[in-house]
Amino acid sequence: QRRRSADSGIVRIKGCEQRLCIYLAGAMASPSRRLQTKPVITCLKSVLLIYSFVFWFTGVILLGVGVWGKVSLEDYFSLLNEQGTKVPFVLIGTGIVIILLGTFGCFATCRGSTWMLKLYAMFLTIIFLVELVAAIVGFVFRHEIKSSFKKSYKKAQDDYKNPPDSSSQAVDTIQKRLHCCGVNNFTDWASSGYFAKNGLPLSCCKLVNCTKDELKNMTIAQGKVFNQGCFAIVTSVMESNMGIVAGISFGIACFQLIGIFLACCLSRSITNNQYEMV
């Protein structure tokens, strides 16, 4: 019995020695792991900080585009529908949100807070999903947008007034800038009440020296005014730029996925480093 108890004591001592060796090996390995993890965290912080600044700058650009659209393109938006005038405000609001989120991302990256980085990734994911839904809705309802513009433009043309109100001023602006006249062509004005009294509007003229008698006669006016309709020009511009808009939207979406990936990787690396220190 004494021999058995002695043998069991030796086994216990050997077991303790093995656990001690494993603990000392882990203690010696953890500093090296930390030395390997810290450069990774520093690199991820630098890349994510640059990303957050670029993301913040895109918000500034979007804010500027919204302000420019409100000032320069309000006539086009007003002819879409009653909600069309809110498009610049949507762009301005989105730009402000991205600016605030980019600032939050820079702060979270500098602080190295895991919960703030996770919150930053969650916000980026929400914006990505909203943009994806908006792109799908815009693509599906693109024909309805064209139809709405055509109906609104026809109504504004039939209700054209002199002196012009807001819708009539929008028609004049589009016809002058795009060098067009009427919805499909200049003869569409014949069905309007304005043409019966005054002829074609001056915004249809190719030259400044159009007279009222010339504008009241469609045959004579054909050589004096723009013959092409505004609807065809607007839709051709939209379709020609559709590929550019789709490419930019795809690039922004991929850019946000990169930010989500970086924020998650940095949060995980910081968490792992804290566990190794413990």
Side-chain angles (χ1 to χ4, degrees):
Q1 292 178 351
R2 291 179 180 177
R3 189 175 295 175
R4 288 180 181 176
S5 62
D7 292 340
S8 62
I10 293 171
V11 171
R12 289 176 184 175
I13 292 172
K14 289 183 178 180
C16 292
E17 289 178 352
Q18 290 178 353
R19 293 194 197 96
L20 181 61
C21 291
I22 294 172
Y23 175 78
L24 291 175
M28 294 176 64
S30 58
S32 62
R33 287 182 180 177
R34 288 198 296 271
L35 289 174
Q36 293 175 358
T37 307
K38 284 183 178 179
V40 174
I41 294 176
T42 304
C43 181
L44 286 173
K45 275 188 174 182
S46 301
V47 176
L48 187 57
L49 194 62
I50 295 172
Y51 168 86
S52 299
F53 176 76
V54 175
F55 187 64
W56 177 88
F57 188 69
T58 57
V60 175
I61 294 175
L62 196 59
L63 177 63
V65 170
V67 174
W68 173 76
K70 175 62 179 174
V71 175
S72 303
L73 303 178
E74 188 174 6
D75 297 331
Y76 299 91
F77 291 123
S78 64
L79 290 177
L80 288 174
N81 49 42
E82 294 180 356
Q83 304 296 326
T85 54
K86 297 180 181 180
V87 173
F89 295 106
V90 173
L91 294 175
I92 292 172
T94 305
I96 293 174
V97 170
I98 291 177
I99 289 173
L100 294 176
L101 186 57
T103 305
F104 177 78
C106 292
F107 181 74
T109 304
C110 294
R111 285 289 302 274
S113 174
T114 55
W115 71 268
M116 292 178 71
L117 290 169
K118 291 177 181 178
L119 189 64
Y120 182 45
M122 184 187 71
F123 284 142
L124 289 176
T125 304
I126 292 173
I127 292 178
F128 170 75
L129 294 177
V130 170
E131 288 178 350
L132 183 63
V133 171
I136 294 173
V137 170
F139 179 78
V140 172
F141 293 100
R142 65 188 186 280
H143 297 295
E144 283 76 3
I145 295 173
K146 293 179 183 178
S147 177
S148 176
F149 176 79
K150 188 173 184 178
K151 291 178 181 178
S152 300
Y153 194 89
K154 184 69 169 63
K155 186 178 184 301
Q157 179 179 286
D158 294 337
D159 298 337
Y160 188 86
K161 299 175 182 179
N162 191 15
D165 55 6
S166 59
S167 61
S168 301
Q169 189 174 2
V171 171
D172 285 336
T173 302
I174 291 174
Q175 292 187 150
K176 288 178 181 178
R177 290 182 179 178
L178 300 181
H179 296 169
C180 57
C181 184
V183 180
N184 299 308
N185 54 58
F186 72 101
T187 59
D188 292 337
W189 281 96
S191 60
S192 65
Y194 178 82
F195 179 80
K197 298 179 180 178
N198 304 291
L200 296 172
L202 291 174
S203 57
C204 286
C205 291
K206 295 179 182 179
L207 303 174
V208 182
N209 56 350
C210 292
T211 62
K212 285 188 176 181
D213 294 333
E214 292 174 342
L215 294 175
K216 287 182 179 180
N217 191 326
M218 284 290 184
T219 305
I220 300 175
Q222 185 175 2
K224 297 285 186 177
V225 300
F226 303 112
N227 295 333
Q228 189 174 5
C230 295
F231 178 72
I233 296 178
V234 171
T235 53
S236 64
V237 171
M238 290 174 58
E239 291 174 355
S240 62
N241 293 328
M242 191 69 69
I244 299 175
V245 173
I248 294 174
S249 301
F250 181 76
I252 293 174
C254 293
F255 186 67
Q256 288 178 347
L257 289 177
I258 293 172
I260 296 169
F261 175 75
L262 289 173
C264 292
C265 287
L266 180 58
S267 175
R268 185 175 180 180
S269 298
I270 293 174
T271 302
N272 292 337
N273 187 56
Q274 290 173 351
Y275 280 136
E276 289 172 2
M277 291 178 67
V278 174

